[in-house]
Amino acid sequence: MRYIAAYLLLQLANPEATPSAADITKVVSAAGIDVDSERVEKLLAQLEGKNIAEVIAEGKNKLASVPSGGAAPAGAAAAAGGAAPAAAEEKKEESEEESDDDMGFGLFD
C-alpha cells in the first residue's frame, strides 16, 4: 500500500507526469520507511501504460461486486447463542471490579 500511496501522491502533484521508481523511492524514504525496490518495479510494471483514474474506476467496480451483506453477522450471532450467558457473567464480574476503582470519591466531588 505504501508504494501505491506514494504513486498516487506523485500523480496528484503532477498529473502530467508518470512517477518513476526513483520518485516513489524518494517519497517512501522521506517517510522513514525502508523501500523494497522489487515491489516498486512490480507496481510500475502493472501500471505501465494505464490511466490511474481508469484503474481506480475499475477497482471500484470490482469492489462493488464483493458481497458485504449484513446476514453474516446475524448468522454468527445465532451460532454463538450458547456463549451469551457466559458473556453476561463476565460483564457482571467486570462491573463489580470497576466499582471498587473509585475508592469512595469521584473526580468531581
Side-chain angles (χ1 to χ4, degrees), residues 1 7 10 13 30 46-48 57-58 61-62 64 66 71 78 80 83 102 104 106:
M1 286 297 281
Y7 184 93
L10 290 163
Q46 290 176 342
L47 292 175
E48 187 176 348
E58 183 181 330
N61 288 337
K62 287 182 180 181
V66 174
D102 67 353

Side-chain angles (χ1 to χ4, degrees), residues 40-58:
V40 173
E41 293 297 332
K42 183 177 179 181
L43 171 69
L44 291 175
Q46 290 176 342
L47 292 175
E48 187 176 348
K50 296 181 181 177
N51 180 337
I52 195 67
E54 292 173 4
V55 172
I56 292 171
E58 183 181 330

Side-chain angles (χ1 to χ4, degrees), residues 53-101:
E54 292 173 4
V55 172
I56 292 171
E58 183 181 330
K60 286 173 87 173
N61 288 337
K62 287 182 180 181
L63 283 175
S65 66
V66 174
S68 61
E89 287 179 27
E90 288 179 39
K91 285 185 181 181
K92 184 178 178 183
E93 289 175 17
E94 288 176 2
S95 65
E96 289 175 11
E97 290 174 13
E98 290 174 0
S99 66
D100 294 338
D101 289 345

